[in-house]
Amino acid sequence: MDLKKIVLFWFVGLLSCKAQEPSEQHDYFKSYDDKVITSVYYFDTSNSFQFASTIDGVTNYLNLIPNRREQIGLSLSYKLIDISYGISPRFFDVNKDNSNSSLVNFGTRFIVKQWMQTLLYSNQKGFYAEDSEFKSSFPKMRSVKIGGTTSYIFNPKFSFKTIANQNQWQTKSSGSFIPTLSIYNTSLNLNDGNGDNKSNIWLATLAPSYYYNWVISNRVLVSSGIALGAGFNIIDGDFSSVLESTLNFKLGYNSDSFFSFVTLNYSVFVQDNDSLFNFNEDISTLRVTAGYRFDPPKKVKQLYDKGTKAIGL
């Protein structure tokens, strides 16, 4: 399935909600939906893979780790729209020795009432493989991940936007149970001229989670969340079960115009140990962000209103 089909699939699912975000201020959070929100961020991310094989009772591990992971980027949010784009410049020390490597991420998030939809596209080039005895470079190897998540926020007093895109700010401490369905497709290609060195991986999990926003003061907030779930993956046609665990932490500062925060997130997907050949995946991120809110230009507001009216939101 290509990128256009996956985006269309998720977007149709979003439109089926047929709901509109209320504009009134809530007692438990303050809304900034009428503002354009821009930010710059530093992003330290890694999407690494682990292959495990068990022979005669002995398990061997081969880790595939991307060469390049530090990014800077821009984010733009206005009402239902939330878009970010990041690149990995060479002036970061960790990137200097990886001149042939690249990492490009594109993500967007929609929150409509208590439904949340995310989309992700990640393209990594340049890996190295290591086990207990050797380390080898694969500069042309490429990983392309496409997919997203669908979540439902049970507690309307809990503001996930405080965590996700700064369209809101939690004013009274609150938490919520949030089940999340995740579907991702990942293609791995060694690009060594041998057509057999490719893998296509489908991953689907359902993970119950709980998030809590702890309001320390009018300006400072701490948020944390945990998710534990299960599902399946399909690797080149081979089916197996998989377990998911995710941890999230955020420390944020906010005023009506300026905001900043630091977030940590770690997700791991572990395949069933009963399989002779296992494929495990982990995604870790550190994000430092500073941003500014302002009133939208009249033409932008008019264009947005016409577009949402045309599609029935």
Side-chain angles (χ1 to χ4, degrees), residues 37-40 75 166 255 257-261 289-293:
I37 303 172
T38 60
S39 63
V40 295
S75 179
Q166 303 301 304
S255 68
S257 56
F258 174 78
F259 62 87
S260 63
F261 60 86
T289 298
Y292 187 77
R293 303 183 184 96

Side-chain angles (χ1 to χ4, degrees), residues 25-90:
Q25 300 294 313
H26 198 287
D27 289 342
Y28 276 76
F29 52 81
K30 185 173 184 178
S31 175
Y32 297 101
D33 277 344
D34 58 338
K35 302 289 186 179
V36 174
I37 303 172
T38 60
S39 63
V40 295
Y41 61 84
Y42 163 81
F43 199 35
D44 186 350
T45 183
S46 175
N47 184 193
S48 58
F49 309 93
Q50 181 185 74
F51 294 89
S53 59
T54 302
I55 302 175
D56 296 331
V58 178
T59 302
N60 298 305
Y61 298 94
L62 177 66
N63 297 300
L64 292 176
I65 303 172
N67 288 333
R68 179 174 206 160
R69 60 185 65 177
E70 291 190 8
Q71 299 183 20
I72 56 173
L74 300 173
S75 179
L76 174 66
S77 176
Y78 179 58
K79 294 191 176 182
L80 298 180
I81 300 172
D82 183 14
I83 300 173
S84 61
Y85 179 76
I87 59 173
S88 294
R90 296 182 185 177

Side-chain angles (χ1 to χ4, degrees), residues 60-286:
N60 298 305
Y61 298 94
L62 177 66
N63 297 300
L64 292 176
I65 303 172
N67 288 333
R68 179 174 206 160
R69 60 185 65 177
E70 291 190 8
Q71 299 183 20
I72 56 173
L74 300 173
S75 179
L76 174 66
S77 176
Y78 179 58
K79 294 191 176 182
L80 298 180
I81 300 172
D82 183 14
I83 300 173
S84 61
Y85 179 76
I87 59 173
S88 294
R90 296 182 185 177
F91 55 75
F92 287 132
D93 287 340
V94 72
N95 299 334
K96 287 181 179 178
D97 296 331
N98 304 314
S99 58
N100 294 322
S101 301
S102 63
L103 170 58
V104 176
N105 283 339
F106 176 82
T108 185
R109 185 189 309 269
F110 303 91
I111 299 179
V112 182
K113 282 195 174 180
Q114 288 164 252
W115 287 96
M116 179 169 63
Q117 179 71 59
T118 70
L119 295 171
L120 170 70
Y121 172 81
S122 179
N123 192 322
Q124 299 178 119
K125 178 188 174 186
F127 283 73
Y128 65 89
E130 66 174 8
D131 63 9
S132 59
E133 298 181 353
F134 84 98
K135 180 177 179 179
S136 180
S137 176
F138 292 88
K140 295 183 179 181
M141 181 178 176
R142 186 178 296 275
S143 164
V144 179
K145 178 185 292 293
I146 303 171
T149 64
T150 301
S151 306
Y152 185 78
I153 304 167
F154 270 79
N155 185 1
K157 296 178 181 179
F158 175 78
S159 169
F160 200 95
K161 287 185 177 182
T162 299
I163 302 173
N165 57 17
Q166 303 301 304
N167 278 359
Q168 292 176 352
W169 179 255
Q170 194 89 48
T171 55
K172 293 183 181 180
S173 298
S174 183
S176 181
F177 173 64
I178 307 175
T180 298
L181 172 66
S182 302
I183 300 177
Y184 292 102
N185 175 255
T186 302
S187 63
L188 296 175
N189 191 343
L190 287 180
N191 286 319
D192 60 354
N194 187 342
D196 294 333
N197 289 331
K198 298 179 181 180
S199 289
N200 187 55
I201 304 157
W202 283 97
L203 173 71
T205 59
L206 180 61
S209 64
Y210 186 81
Y211 284 81
Y212 190 82
N213 288 336
W214 177 32
V215 179
I216 298 177
S217 69
N218 291 336
R219 302 291 190 193
V220 180
L221 174 145
V222 173
S223 177
S224 61
I226 184 171
L228 297 172
F232 65 88
N233 63 9
I234 303 174
I235 306 175
D236 297 331
D238 293 330
F239 179 94
S240 65
S241 60
V242 65
L243 299 176
E244 174 192 356
S245 61
T246 297
L247 296 174
N248 180 275
F249 174 82
K250 175 177 180 176
L251 173 63
Y253 171 86
N254 182 75
S255 68
D256 287 343
S257 56
F258 174 78
F259 62 87
S260 63
F261 60 86
V262 177
T263 59
L264 298 170
N265 190 84
Y266 179 73
S267 297
V268 59
F269 301 90
V270 180
Q271 192 174 327
D272 183 7
N273 289 330
D274 293 336
S275 303
L276 292 177
F277 181 79
N278 297 332
F279 174 81
N280 304 323
E281 179 179 4
D282 68 73
I283 305 170
S284 59
T285 60
L286 164 65

